Amino acid sequence: MLHTQELYDILYQNMGPQHWWPAASEIEMMLGAILVQNTNWKNADLALTSLKHETNFNPQHILDIPLEDLQQIIKSSGFYKNKGKAIHALLSWLNDYQFNYEAIVSKFGDDLRKELLKIRGVGSETADVLIVYIFGGIEFIPDSYTRRLYAKLGYSNTDSYDKFKKEIQLPSTFTNQDANEFHALLDNFGKNYFNIKNGTHYTFLDPYFE
């Protein structure tokens, strides 16, 4: 069974840096993290394009949009009513701190994840993504592709995000960039390995699978 550091090393050696998250700004990244919930990136990206056209990702402009109008703008992402509420809730919370991410980290410290989970529409995965890609923290992000990969490697408790997160401890040497890269590598590996129609089928981990 591969350990986390070994898995990270093999993925990185074979795939190289992934340059994630695919966004030009922190606001775009956070919007994408919400819009991609329970859908694929294509649908989320369509909603992002519409939202950019309407607001240029200006958070104040987004907050000024009536909720019903925002929901229509992001309709292509699916579950758009809840996602619209989540976007307003997250941006309102950040606005309370003038979008000063360093100040937020300083205020909440190790309790930041708990605070993020209090925000409507921010679940475990979204909270972890925000911590790694916005707040400079170090978290393991066991999304569905990651859990499927670990299951093939012989790990148990992979059906649940929260349960499996407790099973894996990132190496003590991991930096924020390592956590960033590890999630990107796992996600992109999963998209290609478990979705053959993408046209790329990695084989370098096959010898380690059950």
Tab-separated table of all heavy atoms in Angstrom, residues 107-132:
chain	number	residue	atom	x	y	z
A	107	LYS	N	-7.055	36.093	12.869
A	107	LYS	CA	-8.149	36.133	13.848
A	107	LYS	C	-8.568	34.733	14.290
A	107	LYS	O	-8.733	34.467	15.483
A	107	LYS	CB	-9.360	36.861	13.259
A	107	LYS	CG	-10.585	36.866	14.175
A	107	LYS	CD	-11.738	37.627	13.557
A	107	LYS	CE	-12.994	37.567	14.414
A	107	LYS	NZ	-12.821	38.191	15.754
A	108	PHE	N	-8.698	33.824	13.350
A	108	PHE	CA	-9.280	32.514	13.673
A	108	PHE	C	-8.249	31.412	13.888
A	108	PHE	O	-8.531	30.428	14.562
A	108	PHE	CB	-10.274	32.098	12.581
A	108	PHE	CG	-11.494	32.969	12.518
A	108	PHE	CD1	-11.683	33.843	11.456
A	108	PHE	CD2	-12.431	32.944	13.535
A	108	PHE	CE1	-12.803	34.649	11.398
A	108	PHE	CE2	-13.550	33.753	13.489
A	108	PHE	CZ	-13.744	34.613	12.423
A	109	GLY	N	-7.066	31.547	13.304
A	109	GLY	CA	-6.021	30.552	13.518
A	109	GLY	C	-6.488	29.143	13.202
A	109	GLY	O	-7.059	28.878	12.142
A	110	ASP	N	-6.291	28.223	14.140
A	110	ASP	CA	-6.660	26.824	13.938
A	110	ASP	C	-8.165	26.595	13.895
A	110	ASP	O	-8.623	25.501	13.544
A	110	ASP	CB	-6.049	25.958	15.052
A	110	ASP	CG	-4.529	25.907	14.976
A	110	ASP	OD1	-3.975	26.168	13.895
A	110	ASP	OD2	-3.903	25.607	16.011
A	111	ASP	N	-8.937	27.614	14.241
A	111	ASP	CA	-10.399	27.483	14.218
A	111	ASP	C	-11.004	27.937	12.890
A	111	ASP	O	-12.233	27.971	12.746
A	111	ASP	CB	-11.030	28.307	15.351
A	111	ASP	CG	-10.718	27.726	16.723
A	111	ASP	OD1	-10.625	26.486	16.830
A	111	ASP	OD2	-10.563	28.509	17.676
A	112	LEU	N	-10.160	28.279	11.924
A	112	LEU	CA	-10.667	28.813	10.663
A	112	LEU	C	-11.613	27.837	9.971
A	112	LEU	O	-12.661	28.231	9.454
A	112	LEU	CB	-9.507	29.182	9.733
A	112	LEU	CG	-9.903	29.693	8.341
A	112	LEU	CD1	-10.809	30.911	8.447
A	112	LEU	CD2	-8.651	30.017	7.518
A	113	ARG	N	-11.248	26.562	9.948
A	113	ARG	CA	-12.104	25.581	9.263
A	113	ARG	C	-13.491	25.534	9.903
A	113	ARG	O	-14.508	25.465	9.208
A	113	ARG	CB	-11.449	24.199	9.298
A	113	ARG	CG	-12.124	23.165	8.393
A	113	ARG	CD	-11.313	21.866	8.349
A	113	ARG	NE	-11.815	20.948	7.336
A	113	ARG	CZ	-12.766	20.055	7.542
A	113	ARG	NH1	-13.314	19.953	8.754
A	113	ARG	NH2	-13.176	19.256	6.558
A	114	LYS	N	-13.540	25.569	11.232
A	114	LYS	CA	-14.820	25.556	11.925
A	114	LYS	C	-15.655	26.779	11.551
A	114	LYS	O	-16.877	26.687	11.388
A	114	LYS	CB	-14.607	25.525	13.441
A	114	LYS	CG	-13.983	24.239	13.967
A	114	LYS	CD	-13.795	24.306	15.466
A	114	LYS	CE	-13.127	23.042	15.996
A	114	LYS	NZ	-12.902	23.131	17.463
A	115	GLU	N	-14.999	27.929	11.411
A	115	GLU	CA	-15.710	29.151	11.048
A	115	GLU	C	-16.243	29.072	9.623
A	115	GLU	O	-17.376	29.487	9.341
A	115	GLU	CB	-14.785	30.366	11.199
A	115	GLU	CG	-14.429	30.709	12.624
A	115	GLU	CD	-15.650	31.048	13.464
A	115	GLU	OE1	-16.543	31.780	12.965
A	115	GLU	OE2	-15.723	30.569	14.611
A	116	LEU	N	-15.435	28.546	8.721
A	116	LEU	CA	-15.876	28.415	7.337
A	116	LEU	C	-17.086	27.487	7.237
A	116	LEU	O	-18.005	27.734	6.444
A	116	LEU	CB	-14.730	27.889	6.466
A	116	LEU	CG	-13.567	28.853	6.231
A	116	LEU	CD1	-12.421	28.125	5.543
A	116	LEU	CD2	-14.026	30.045	5.380
A	117	LEU	N	-17.092	26.432	8.026
A	117	LEU	CA	-18.195	25.479	7.979
A	117	LEU	C	-19.504	26.068	8.507
A	117	LEU	O	-20.576	25.505	8.260
A	117	LEU	CB	-17.834	24.218	8.777
A	117	LEU	CG	-16.757	23.335	8.148
A	117	LEU	CD1	-16.347	22.220	9.110
A	117	LEU	CD2	-17.242	22.742	6.831
A	118	LYS	N	-19.436	27.185	9.186
A	118	LYS	CA	-20.649	27.859	9.666
A	118	LYS	C	-21.334	28.648	8.551
A	118	LYS	O	-22.503	29.027	8.685
A	118	LYS	CB	-20.304	28.811	10.819
A	118	LYS	CG	-19.812	28.132	12.083
A	118	LYS	CD	-19.441	29.173	13.136
A	118	LYS	CE	-18.883	28.526	14.400
A	118	LYS	NZ	-18.477	29.551	15.405
A	119	ILE	N	-20.609	28.909	7.464
A	119	ILE	CA	-21.150	29.704	6.366
A	119	ILE	C	-22.073	28.836	5.516
A	119	ILE	O	-21.720	27.722	5.143
A	119	ILE	CB	-20.009	30.269	5.492
A	119	ILE	CG1	-19.082	31.134	6.339
A	119	ILE	CG2	-20.574	31.075	4.327
A	119	ILE	CD1	-17.818	31.553	5.614
A	120	ARG	N	-23.227	29.361	5.200
A	120	ARG	CA	-24.203	28.594	4.417
A	120	ARG	C	-23.592	28.157	3.084
A	120	ARG	O	-23.008	28.963	2.353
A	120	ARG	CB	-25.441	29.442	4.151
A	120	ARG	CG	-26.462	28.739	3.273
A	120	ARG	CD	-27.764	29.466	3.187
A	120	ARG	NE	-28.746	28.650	2.466
A	120	ARG	CZ	-30.053	28.753	2.630
A	120	ARG	NH1	-30.558	29.617	3.494
A	120	ARG	NH2	-30.877	27.982	1.931
A	121	GLY	N	-23.723	26.871	2.789
A	121	GLY	CA	-23.256	26.362	1.507
A	121	GLY	C	-21.794	25.964	1.476
A	121	GLY	O	-21.309	25.492	0.447
A	122	VAL	N	-21.080	26.165	2.576
A	122	VAL	CA	-19.667	25.769	2.643
A	122	VAL	C	-19.581	24.470	3.446
A	122	VAL	O	-19.723	24.468	4.663
A	122	VAL	CB	-18.795	26.857	3.287
A	122	VAL	CG1	-17.359	26.367	3.445
A	122	VAL	CG2	-18.833	28.129	2.453
A	123	GLY	N	-19.367	23.372	2.723
A	123	GLY	CA	-19.210	22.084	3.373
A	123	GLY	C	-17.746	21.751	3.576
A	123	GLY	O	-16.862	22.591	3.359
A	124	SER	N	-17.479	20.531	3.958
A	124	SER	CA	-16.111	20.123	4.298
A	124	SER	C	-15.143	20.316	3.142
A	124	SER	O	-14.051	20.860	3.315
A	124	SER	CB	-16.101	18.656	4.740
A	124	SER	OG	-16.820	18.479	5.928
A	125	GLU	N	-15.536	19.854	1.947
A	125	GLU	CA	-14.621	19.948	0.811
A	125	GLU	C	-14.348	21.395	0.428
A	125	GLU	O	-13.196	21.788	0.221
A	125	GLU	CB	-15.176	19.185	-0.389
A	125	GLU	CG	-14.237	19.196	-1.595
A	125	GLU	CD	-14.736	18.347	-2.740
A	125	GLU	OE1	-15.562	17.425	-2.512
A	125	GLU	OE2	-14.306	18.591	-3.888
A	126	THR	N	-15.393	22.199	0.353
A	126	THR	CA	-15.207	23.607	-0.008
A	126	THR	C	-14.368	24.328	1.040
A	126	THR	O	-13.500	25.147	0.695
A	126	THR	CB	-16.570	24.308	-0.164
A	126	THR	OG1	-17.342	23.621	-1.151
A	126	THR	CG2	-16.391	25.752	-0.602
A	127	ALA	N	-14.589	24.037	2.304
A	127	ALA	CA	-13.793	24.660	3.366
A	127	ALA	C	-12.324	24.312	3.211
A	127	ALA	O	-11.445	25.181	3.324
A	127	ALA	CB	-14.301	24.216	4.736
A	128	ASP	N	-12.032	23.049	2.937
A	128	ASP	CA	-10.637	22.632	2.778
A	128	ASP	C	-9.996	23.286	1.558
A	128	ASP	O	-8.838	23.704	1.596
A	128	ASP	CB	-10.560	21.108	2.660
A	128	ASP	CG	-10.866	20.403	3.968
A	128	ASP	OD1	-10.687	21.024	5.027
A	128	ASP	OD2	-11.290	19.234	3.919
A	129	VAL	N	-10.752	23.385	0.474
A	129	VAL	CA	-10.241	24.035	-0.735
A	129	VAL	C	-9.914	25.504	-0.454
A	129	VAL	O	-8.864	26.011	-0.858
A	129	VAL	CB	-11.270	23.917	-1.884
A	129	VAL	CG1	-10.927	24.878	-3.021
A	129	VAL	CG2	-11.323	22.485	-2.404
A	130	LEU	N	-10.801	26.178	0.257
A	130	LEU	CA	-10.550	27.588	0.586
A	130	LEU	C	-9.319	27.738	1.470
A	130	LEU	O	-8.519	28.668	1.284
A	130	LEU	CB	-11.779	28.183	1.276
A	130	LEU	CG	-13.048	28.305	0.432
A	130	LEU	CD1	-14.189	28.847	1.276
A	130	LEU	CD2	-12.817	29.206	-0.771
A	131	ILE	N	-9.166	26.842	2.429
A	131	ILE	CA	-8.005	26.933	3.325
A	131	ILE	C	-6.707	26.789	2.544
A	131	ILE	O	-5.744	27.535	2.758
A	131	ILE	CB	-8.098	25.863	4.429
A	131	ILE	CG1	-9.185	26.258	5.437
A	131	ILE	CG2	-6.761	25.695	5.152
A	131	ILE	CD1	-9.488	25.197	6.474
A	132	VAL	N	-6.670	25.856	1.609
A	132	VAL	CA	-5.435	25.622	0.845
A	132	VAL	C	-5.197	26.709	-0.193
A	132	VAL	O	-4.086	27.250	-0.303
A	132	VAL	CB	-5.487	24.239	0.161
A	132	VAL	CG1	-4.293	24.066	-0.794
A	132	VAL	CG2	-5.470	23.132	1.207
